[in-house]
Amino acid sequence: MKIEKDIQDFDAVGDNHIGTSSETPMRSDAFELTSSEKIDIIKDDVRHIMETLGLDLNDDSLKGTPKRVAKMFVNEIFGGLNPDKKPSASTFENKYKYGEMLVEKNITVYSTCEHHLLPIVGKAHVAYISNGTVVGLSKMNRIVDYFAKRPQVQERLTIQVVKELQKVLNTEDVACVIDAKHLCVNSRGIRDVDSSTVTSEFGGKFKNKETKREFLDYIKLDTTF
């Protein structure tokens, strides 16, 4: 039957972590509902899932779960879907004429696999070479966090971080490496608890072998204080 083949195809995509686009797939009507309206709808859907699983939502420990999950989805772990939450990234003139690469490493990544809605946890390392402007250091962390807070595949997240910083800084010379553990691999399926996934995106001068090597050497430095 066609529906069975479709299910098999969808499972194959998810288990192989295939992404369909460098942009997050969004419907044209994605923002017609308010956050409060989305929470009310998701709350009912979560309740239905829990009841279908046989859980007793009259229990004191469970009765608030549907609302808590709905608020978490909309306001927290998928908050990066809301363009209003996109961090403003003010740039400044590079008055001190710093001409080497700037590296912000060990940025904490908390994201969610879009295939199984399980956590992705890891570190991002981001660098750029100024062409006349610089950006506040915390903004690099906030950009990573914004794009991480949505259903993701790691390859897309890596590309989105680089593209956004390229736009903000008006330069192609941006790089990002992410090393993360996927609980859809670690806690289900193959259940390989030790494996992690590394992705990278190099733009402009970072495609040069020596510049790329310099960046990779920087992120190996021990920064334990």
Side-chain angles (χ1 to χ4, degrees), residues 1-206:
M1 294 177 60
K2 183 179 184 300
I3 190 168
E4 291 178 349
K5 184 179 184 305
D6 288 344
I7 291 172
Q8 291 173 351
D9 290 344
F10 295 149
D11 284 345
V13 168
D15 284 336
N16 286 292
H17 294 263
I18 296 171
T20 56
S21 169
S22 63
E23 300 296 328
T24 302
M26 300 290 290
R27 297 202 322 268
S28 59
D29 62 349
F31 307 108
E32 291 183 1
L33 296 175
T34 66
S35 292
S36 294
E37 289 170 332
K38 290 179 180 181
I39 289 171
D40 285 339
I41 293 170
I42 294 170
K43 176 184 66 178
D44 292 338
D45 291 336
V46 174
R47 179 184 293 110
H48 181 233
I49 290 171
M50 296 178 70
E51 289 173 342
T52 301
L53 290 171
L55 294 167
D56 180 6
L57 270 72
N58 293 315
D59 184 90
D60 287 343
S61 180
L62 295 178
K63 62 185 178 183
T65 298
K67 181 68 173 287
R68 284 192 293 268
V69 172
K71 289 172 66 177
M72 176 185 69
F73 276 11
V74 174
N75 297 329
E76 296 179 69
I77 66 173
F78 298 143
L81 294 173
N82 185 347
D84 292 339
K85 294 189 175 184
K86 186 175 183 179
S88 59
S90 301
T91 56
F92 310 92
E93 183 183 351
N94 183 10
K95 292 183 179 180
Y96 27 83
K97 306 301 180 185
Y98 179 72
E100 302 298 322
M101 73 176 69
L102 184 147
V103 182
E104 184 80 358
K105 65 177 193 165
N106 295 330
I107 300 170
T108 298
V109 172
Y110 283 115
S111 192
T112 305
C113 168
E114 68 181 37
H115 299 132
H116 295 96
L117 298 186
L118 286 171
I120 300 171
V121 182
K123 297 292 184 181
H125 314 285
V126 182
Y128 72 89
I129 300 171
S130 173
N131 72 343
T133 58
V134 295
V135 67
L137 294 179
S138 68
K139 297 303 182 182
M140 299 168 73
N141 302 61
R142 293 180 189 280
I143 286 170
V144 171
D145 189 59
Y146 172 71
F147 286 104
K149 281 187 164 57
R150 54 180 68 182
Q152 274 289 14
V153 292
Q154 189 172 318
E155 298 93 329
R156 180 194 298 134
L157 172 59
T158 311
I159 292 169
Q160 287 176 332
V161 169
V162 169
K163 283 186 173 181
E164 180 64 18
L165 277 168
Q166 286 175 330
K167 183 167 62 175
V168 167
L169 291 161
N170 192 31
T171 179
E172 292 295 307
D173 303 332
V174 179
C176 178
V177 171
I178 297 177
D179 183 3
K181 296 178 79 69
H182 293 239
L183 266 69
C184 54
V185 173
N186 303 145
S187 69
R188 60 160 297 281
I190 190 64
R191 293 193 297 276
D192 185 342
V193 298
D194 292 322
S195 68
S196 69
T197 301
V198 179
T199 50
S200 62
E201 179 75 4
F202 300 102
K205 294 177 182 176
F206 285 94

Side-chain angles (χ1 to χ4, degrees), residues 201-224:
E201 179 75 4
F202 300 102
K205 294 177 182 176
F206 285 94
K207 293 183 181 294
N208 176 277
K209 184 177 179 179
E210 288 76 20
T211 306
K212 183 184 297 184
R213 172 47 53 196
E214 182 183 352
F215 170 50
L216 296 176
D217 285 344
Y218 279 137
I219 67 179
K220 291 178 186 176
L221 292 174
D222 183 8
T223 51
T224 302

